[in-house]
Each structure stands twice: as structure tokens, then as C-alpha cells.
């Protein structure tokens, strides 16, 4: 156990020091934390402190599941609050749906292990489905906790303030032409970073295309806001108005920056929950720089993190598919003579 813990810790430190934006950082971080906890439990037990060991055991196998169970109701409540304040949409349903999914997990576990039924043991199809569902809960649950934990940690990484460009990521517009409160927070944070920058020639890149329901591009709306509400000169504001996604925000802004400087460095400003995924995309396209987050309304955070996690899972879908292959092969081998 101790050797495994040491391997995870060293692997995390190595990857983190090489690039703190790597996709490997969240899983290695949560595996390191988990293995450290188990190693501490093992050490305490071997030292003879059985009471302390029992307390840690209760924490791991009773308190944490209870906390997850309670979180389901908090997510459901948050879902209703979000729907009331932000309106009905699939995105705003995410925290509500996750809360329901967590409750269904506990119902399924109770039915499988507590009810006096042998339906799972006598029906190979149902038992296979149960194994796949439980495996999915654990894989995506651990991945989500790792992603969320590391995303929070990433926010506290110091920024060096020496950049060539500050990118402001666009968001939806109010009435098709005005910045929303959410977008205003990004702009204000970028302006603050602009005035604190060490580079006297630093420029702002306002990035965001024109949506189907918008009168002007998000980039133009941000530029209008900056010229009307700040003292930043017009020649320090560059327009990138073609992008439709976070990935394109970064890619097109990088291309724009390279028109002025051969190897530019960037600071990209978006919301707290969005920083790590944005930074990972920046690494993917070879962009040098850091992310800077602005605060988000508390009721919006759970749904935002869920959406970010889903987007990252889609981006890394082949990693999750590879995790299922050994399990499926094991099921096929175990049910030899039944399925085939």
C-alpha cells in the first residue's frame, strides 16, 4: 500500500511540474489523496491505535456515503433554484438530474444487497447490467471528484502577470447586443489583470462570434463595453469574432496574437469553473499561458461544474471506452457457456 501511494504521489508531482494543465493531473491527484488516506489507515492499525483506525473506517465507509446521499437532495434543490432563476433548459437541469441519479444509485444498491431477492443472481442479463451500471457510477463518480478537486486547486496556482495578450472568453448576450452580468464579471477581471500586468504593451483580445439569436458578435459587445466603461485605449483591444466554442476562442486568439508576436504568451479570463478545461485546451493547441477565473453566482456552480465535466468526458471519450474494455472482457469470460 505504501509503495502504491508513493508511486501515485511521485507520478502526480512529476506530471504537475511538467505541465499543470495536463489531463493526467485530476486522476493522479485524486488517486494520491485516496491512497494517502488508506496508507494512514493502515499505518494507524499497525501501530495499534485501533480506535483511531475505526474512526477513519467509519469516516470512509459511512460518513462519506452519507455525505453523498445528502448531496443528492442538495443538488435536486439547487436544480429547482437554477430553473427558477435561469429558466428551463437542458443545461439548467443538470444538477437536478445528477441528484436524482445519485438517489437511484442508493436505491439500486439497497435493492441488490438488502432485499430478499435472487433476481440478479439468477438472471445473467440483469446481473451484467447491474455490474455495468455500478462500474459506471464509480468510474464517473471518481473522475468527477478528481476533476472538481483539481479544478479548485488549479485556481490557486500563482500567475506571473507577464503576458503579451489577455483573452476574454465570450458568453451569451442580453437582448442580443449587451453584455450579461456573467460576461461583465469576466471583462472586469480582465481589466483588473490588464492594469496589474508587467508588460506595458499588453493587449486585450475579446473573443466570441455572433450567435443565431444575437444582433452583434460577443466580441463586438465586449469591445463596446470596454470603450464605454474603461480607460483602455482602442488600439489595445483586438477583435476575434469568428469563434463559436471555447476551443475556437483559444485557437483563433492564438492565431491573432501570432500576427503581432512570434511566440506570444496569453492570460485567458473566464469563470472559475471553466478555467481548468480551458487551460487543458490551451495546452492541446500549444498555447503558452495561464487561466484566470472570476467568481460565479453560487447557485450556478454545481450545474456549471457538471457541464464542464461532461464536456471533458466527451473530449476524452476514448479514455473511458478503454476503461470499459477489460470489464467487458471479464464479463464475457465469466459468462462463458451462458452468453456464448
Amino acid at each position: 500500500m505504501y509503495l502504491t501511494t508513493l508511486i501515485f504521489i511521485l507520478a502526480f508531482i512529476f506530471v504537475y511540474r511538467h505541465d499543470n494543465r495536463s489531463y493526467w493531473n485530476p486522476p493522479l491527484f485524486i488517486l494520491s489523496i485516496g491512497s494517502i488516506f488508506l496508507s494512514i489507515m493502515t499505518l494507524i492499525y499497525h501501530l495499534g491505535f485501533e480506535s483511531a483506525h475505526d474512526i477513519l473506517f467509519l469516516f470512509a465507509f459511512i460518513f462519506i456515503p452519507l455525505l453523498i446521499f445528502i448531496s443528492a437532495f442538495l443538488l435536486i434543490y439547487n436544480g429547482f433554484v437554477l430553473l427558477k432563476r435561469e429558466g428551463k433548459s437542458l443545461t439548467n437541469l443538470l444538477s437536478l438530474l445528477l441528484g436524482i441519479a445519485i438517489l437511484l444509485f442508493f436505491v439500486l444498491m439497497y435493492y441488490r444487497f438488502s432485499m430478499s431477492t435472487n433476481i440478479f443472481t439468477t438472471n445473467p442479463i440483469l446481473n451484467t447490467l447491474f455490474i455495468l451500471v455500478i462500474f459506471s457510477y464509480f468510474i464517473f463518480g471518481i473522475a468527477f471528484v478528481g476533476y472538481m478537486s483539481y479544478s479548485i486547486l488549479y485556481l490557486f496556482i500563482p500567475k506571473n502577470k507577464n503576458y503579451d495578450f489577455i483573452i476574454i472568453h465570450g458568453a451569451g448576450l442580453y437582448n442580443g447586443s449587451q453584455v450579461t452580468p456573467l460576461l461583465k464579471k469576466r471583462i472586469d477581471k480582465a481589466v483588473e489583470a490588464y492594469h496589474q500586468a508587467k508588460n506595458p504593451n499588453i493587449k486585450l483580445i475579446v473573443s466570441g462570434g455572433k450567435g443565431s439569436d444575437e444582433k452583434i458578435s460577443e466580441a463586438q459587445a465586449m469591445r463596446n463595453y470596454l470603450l464605454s466603461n474603461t480607460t483602455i485605449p482602442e488600439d489595445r483591444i483586438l477583435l476575434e469574432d469568428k469563434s463559436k466554442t471555447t476551443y475556437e476562442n483559444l485557437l483563433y486568439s492564438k492565431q491573432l496574437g501570432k500576427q503581432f508576436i512570434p511566440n506570444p504568451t496569453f492570460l485567458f479570463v473566464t469563470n472559475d469553473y471553466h478555467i481548468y478545461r480551458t487551460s487543458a485546451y490551451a495546452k492541446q493547441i500549444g498555447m503558452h499561458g495561464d487561466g484566470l477565473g472570476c467568481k460565479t453566482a453560487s447557485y450556478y456552480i454545481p450545474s456549471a461544474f457538471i457541464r464542464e465535466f461532461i464536456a471533458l468526458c466527451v473530449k476524452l471519450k476514448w479514455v473511458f471506452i478503454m476503461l470499459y474494455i477489460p470489464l467487458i472482457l471479464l464479463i464475457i469470460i465469466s459468462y462463458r457457456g451462458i452468453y456464448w
Side-chain angles (χ1 to χ4, degrees), residues 49-104:
F49 300 105
E50 294 185 6
S51 297
H53 174 269
D54 292 342
I55 291 173
L56 290 177
F57 182 86
L58 290 173
F59 176 82
F61 295 98
I62 294 180
F63 178 74
I64 292 180
L66 180 61
L67 189 63
I68 294 172
F69 182 72
I70 294 172
S71 72
F73 293 97
L74 296 177
L75 285 168
I76 291 172
Y77 172 74
N78 173 260
F80 284 115
V81 171
L82 190 60
L83 288 171
K84 182 179 179 180
R85 295 191 180 186
E86 300 290 335
K88 295 179 180 179
S89 71
L90 180 59
T91 300
N92 293 339
L93 282 170
L94 290 177
S95 58
L96 176 64
L97 294 175
L98 180 59
I100 294 172
I102 292 173
L103 289 181
L104 289 176

Side-chain angles (χ1 to χ4, degrees), residues 212-253:
S212 59
D213 59 342
E214 295 171 342
K215 300 174 184 176
I216 59 175
S217 69
E218 294 167 3
Q220 184 62 53
M222 288 188 282
R223 182 177 181 276
N224 294 343
Y225 177 88
L226 286 166
L227 293 176
S228 301
N229 297 277
T230 73
T231 58
I232 296 177
E234 185 175 359
D235 62 353
R236 293 295 185 91
I237 304 171
L238 305 179
L239 208 67
E240 186 290 292
D241 57 1
K242 298 184 296 181
S243 58
K244 302 294 183 182
T245 64
T246 298
Y247 184 85
E248 291 180 352
N249 284 149
L250 296 169
L251 182 62
Y252 297 156
S253 294

Side-chain angles (χ1 to χ4, degrees), residues 145-208:
V145 172
Y147 168 75
M148 185 173 65
S149 301
Y150 186 76
S151 294
I152 295 171
L153 175 66
Y154 187 80
L155 293 174
F156 295 96
I157 297 175
K159 309 300 185 295
N160 63 31
K161 299 181 181 179
N162 188 16
Y163 305 98
D164 299 306
F165 300 95
I166 298 175
I167 304 170
I168 310 175
H169 287 260
L173 301 178
Y174 177 69
N175 286 335
S177 61
Q178 299 174 346
V179 300
T180 61
L182 182 144
L183 186 52
K184 179 181 179 299
K185 287 183 179 180
R186 296 183 183 181
I187 299 172
D188 292 343
K189 192 72 173 180
V191 171
E192 179 184 336
Y194 173 88
H195 289 300
Q196 294 177 350
K198 296 179 180 179
N199 183 356
N201 299 314
I202 194 168
K203 291 181 173 61
L204 291 174
I205 298 178
V206 286
S207 177

Side-chain angles (χ1 to χ4, degrees), residues 20 31 60 90 95 146 162 201 212 261 278 281 305 319 334 338:
N20 56 38
L31 287 172
L90 180 59
S95 58
N162 188 16
N201 299 314
S212 59
I261 299 173
T278 305
Y281 286 175
F305 263 117
V319 174
S334 300
I338 297 176

